[in-house]
Every structure is written in C-alpha cells, then in structure tokens.
Amino acid sequence: MEREGRAVRAASGELVTIGEFARLSRLSAKALRRYDELGLLRPALVDPVNGYRYYDPAQVEGARLVAWLRRIGMPLNRIGRVVALDAGAAAMEVRAYWARVEAETAARRDLAMYLVDHLSAEGRTMSRMPDNAENNGSSGSAGSVGALAIRCAALTDIGVVRTANQDAAFAGPRLLAVADGFGEGGAEASAAAIEALKPSTWGRDGALSAADLLNALEDTADSAARAVRDAVAPCGAPDGSGTTLTAMLWTGSRLGLVHIGDSRAYLLRGGELFRITHDHSLVQSMIDDGSLSPEEAASHPGPALLLKALVGEARPAAVAVACRPDVRLQEVLAGDRYLLCSDGLSAVVDAADLRTAVVAADDPEEAVRRLVGLAREAGGPDNVACAVADVVVE
C-alpha cells in the first residue's frame, strides 16, 4: 500500500524526478545515484519497471546538508552518521569534525614552518662553507660547551576518587612520557603506548640529522599506535579503549616531541612556564574558534571529549593518517625544566600554582611529589601522571 501511495504521488506530481531534484538540491544526478547506493540519501520512490528515481521535495534540506558536509571535506561514512542525528547532535558532530581538521592543519603548519626554518638555516650554512673552508685549517669550534643530559623523575597516583589507575608515566635517560588511558582497556593502552617507545635506539650519540629525527618520531608514533591496538584487542569493547600520549625523546643533542590527546607538556625557562602542546579536545577547539574563553573552559560542564587519541579501533588508512600524533623538534637549552602531565593534574591545578610548584622544587623528584600533592589537595578527581626533566651540562 505504501509503495502504491508513493506511485500515486509520483503520478500526481507530488514527487519530482531525479533531474528536477538535482536542480533543487544543487547536487548532480550522478552524486544522487551515488548517495542512494551508499544509503545517505534514498529516493522516495524507485520505479520497479524502469528504475527511475523520484524524490520528495521535503528531502531537499537533507540533500543540501549532505552537499555542504561534502564541501567541507567530511568523509561519506561520517556524513551518514551526521544526517541520522537530530539537529543539535549533528551540530556537535560537525563542530568536533572541524575542530579535528583545524588541529591537523595546525600540526601541518607547524611542521611546514619548521621545515622553512630548517632549510633556510641549511642554506645560510652552505653559503658560508666556502669561506670557512678557505680560512679554517681545523674542524674544531671555539667556545664549545659541554654535552647536555637530562635528569628526570616520574610519578603516578590513583587520586582520591577513582578505584583504578589508568595513567602511566616514565622517566629515563632517553625517554620522558605520560599517558592517560580510558575505557575498559585504558590501563593496558597507556602502558603499551609508553612501552612501545622504550626499545627505540634511534638517535644514539646524537647522530641523527633533524630530518632523520622527524622521520624517526613518525615511526615511533606509529609503533605506539599499533601497540595500543594490540593491547586492547582482547577487551570486550576495544573501540572504546585508548590513551593519550605525550612523550619527549632525547638523542643527546635534540629533544623530539610526540603528542596526541589532552595530556600536556610544559617548559620552564627564564622563570616562565610555557605550555608547548595543543590539546586535541573539543573544549580546546571551542577556545580556538572564540566560542569559549579560557576562563569559561576551566568550568565547562561537558565531558572531556577527545578529538584525537591512540585507540583500539582499526581505522581506514586515510583516517589513521589524519589522526596521527603531532611530532616536532624542541629547542633545548641548559637550565630548561620540562613538565609532562595528564589532565588529572592540569585540569584541577591552575597554571600559576603549577608554575610555583615547578619553580620551587630543587630537583625533578621533589617536583613530581609536589605536583601530585597539589592534585590530591584539589580533590584528586582523576588519576594523575607527571614527569619532570631538567636539562643539565654533563
């Protein structure tokens, strides 16, 4: 009966042909046929004899939404989820998608700017080489300083409220890392992400060039992602398990940063504390686009929705590449102090108190104890992980 009713509507002119609907929706007939095949936009009627597609003019708004989402580059499988939601939920989904696009664009911009600086510096060095070769008879350099090293400590704490600790932290002569696990396999995910970084022997004796180091960081990030997927595979819901990861890898002359999620890295230099990572979270995206001030973000009632993390879900290649961690090189100076922490610390202790604690501590061991104590004094609503490293002259 329903099919007959639609046939009557088509015959009476209430439904329109695919050509007319293409004109109304600003989509091509080819695109409409494709969206029908994918289940994104079904016609109101397909003639059983000739296969002609007929559409209800009321479908125009939905068709335009599909077109707009394609225009901003949203993948078709995600569009299918968006168009099935009510308007409010769809708006949140679009915001989350675009925030991730902007975060990925910012990461690529940072890498592009690094490459510009790096290649410009190489160009300046090459332009000076002939003069140096003529005028200098030795390869030594006057005024060289001693080799740098890091002294570090790490600490995790279950907090006051949680019954299990899913955070992990590590501090060693080549690696400083924190990871904040979530979901059923969160503890396994955070431990696996950090463990995947430990065996790395790249950059020994500071031998890697900057370009090789960036490639090594990419490989290291991929290893951590695979380790997380393997670790949470036995869980009942691996797609809902994963971890953030913020890690610094020390080669003896350079410091490489790997970052994904909302754990953070800070640098204390010249008495000032600077955050050197960017949260991959919905709240941070709202700060970035001006819809939320940093003060409002501190008391934002919504859940801590991550836009990027290492997760157990097996993703298509294009999505996996888009969700890779940020990697970059960090300038290192003797006297620098670095802090890495999960949001169990940064979300409950304000920046001024963080700075005071980091400045006041005589060494990394005292610093991590002070910081965990601050988180517990603030109510300890979440697990806490932190690692502190000092850059020193050997």
Side-chain angles (χ1 to χ4, degrees):
M1 291 295 293
E2 182 181 353
R3 179 181 295 177
E4 291 175 0
R6 285 182 293 181
V8 170
R9 292 175 62 199
S12 66
E14 293 182 35
L15 300 183
V16 298
T17 64
I18 189 171
E20 177 63 13
F21 191 75
R23 187 187 66 79
L24 293 172
S25 63
R26 305 290 182 88
L27 289 169
S28 68
K30 180 179 178 180
L32 289 172
R33 285 191 288 269
R34 175 66 171 156
Y35 297 159
D36 178 14
E37 293 168 1
L38 296 173
L40 289 177
L41 189 63
R42 298 289 194 189
L45 173 67
V46 177
D47 191 297
V49 177
N50 54 32
Y52 288 171
R53 293 172 171 85
Y54 294 90
Y55 292 82
D56 190 324
Q59 294 179 274
V60 168
E61 202 61 35
R64 287 176 177 169
L65 175 59
V66 172
W68 292 330
L69 294 174
R70 285 299 291 154
R71 194 171 296 171
I72 66 172
M74 184 177 287
L76 290 171
N77 61 343
R78 188 160 186 171
I79 290 176
R81 295 198 299 270
V82 172
V83 297
L85 299 172
D86 62 55
M92 289 293 290
E93 183 72 11
V94 173
R95 176 186 287 278
Y97 167 76
W98 192 248
R100 193 178 76 185
V101 170
E102 289 185 325
E104 290 156 6
T105 302
R108 290 195 295 271
R109 182 187 64 238
D110 290 345
L111 178 57
M113 291 302 98
Y114 162 76
L115 291 173
V116 168
D117 292 343
H118 172 66
L119 293 171
S120 298
E122 280 198 347
R124 289 192 296 271
T125 300
M126 291 297 292
S127 69
R128 291 196 298 266
M129 282 181 65
D131 292 338
N132 290 343
E134 285 181 3
N135 298 328
N136 294 323
S138 70
S139 60
S141 58
S144 60
V145 298
L148 297 177
I150 60 172
R151 294 176 182 166
C152 51
L155 186 63
T156 67
D157 187 79
I158 195 171
V160 176
V161 176
R162 299 293 178 90
T163 58
N165 192 354
Q166 295 186 310
D167 281 10
F170 180 82
R174 293 280 176 177
L175 172 66
L176 196 73
V178 298
D180 181 357
F182 56 85
E184 178 187 346
E188 293 80 2
S190 60
I194 292 179
E195 194 64 30
L197 307 186
K198 291 182 185 178
S200 178
T201 57
W202 53 265
R204 192 170 298 283
D205 301 323
L208 284 186
S209 68
D212 288 340
L213 179 53
L214 281 172
N215 289 336
L217 288 172
E218 292 277 5
D219 293 342
T220 300
D222 290 343
S223 297
R226 288 193 298 271
V228 169
R229 289 197 298 272
D230 292 343
V232 304
C235 297
D239 292 357
S241 297
T243 185
T244 69
L245 177 66
T246 301
M248 287 185 156
L249 299 106
W250 174 246
T251 68
S253 61
R254 294 185 175 94
L255 201 56
L257 175 69
V258 177
H259 168 69
I260 187 167
D262 62 356
S263 294
R264 293 180 175 180
Y266 295 85
L267 165 64
L268 179 70
R269 178 180 290 173
E272 295 297 323
L273 188 68
F274 306 95
R275 175 152 63 104
I276 58 175
T277 53
H278 196 77
D279 292 351
H280 301 133
S281 67
L282 181 59
V283 167
Q284 181 63 57
S285 75
M286 295 171 73
I287 296 173
D288 294 341
D289 68 20
S291 59
L292 200 65
S293 71
E295 294 74 24
E296 291 169 333
S299 57
H300 189 267
L305 177 61
L306 294 176
L307 301 179
K308 290 171 63 174
L310 301 179
V311 296
E313 179 183 7
R315 292 166 162 169
V319 177
V321 169
C323 293
R324 294 176 79 173
D326 299 341
V327 298
R328 76 163 191 265
L329 304 186
Q330 178 66 32
E331 177 195 22
V332 178
L333 297 177
D336 286 348
R337 174 170 282 183
Y338 289 91
L339 162 65
L340 277 59
C341 66
S342 64
D343 68 341
L345 176 65
S346 59
V348 298
V349 178
D350 65 35
D353 290 337
L354 278 181
R355 177 191 171 279
T356 299
V358 174
V359 169
D362 290 333
D363 53 43
E365 290 81 2
E366 181 184 347
V368 294
R369 289 195 299 269
R370 282 176 178 262
L371 293 165
V372 168
L374 284 176
R376 293 185 68 90
E377 290 171 10
D382 199 356
N383 305 147
V384 185
C386 59
V388 173
D390 290 345
V391 180
V392 298
V393 178
E394 287 188 314

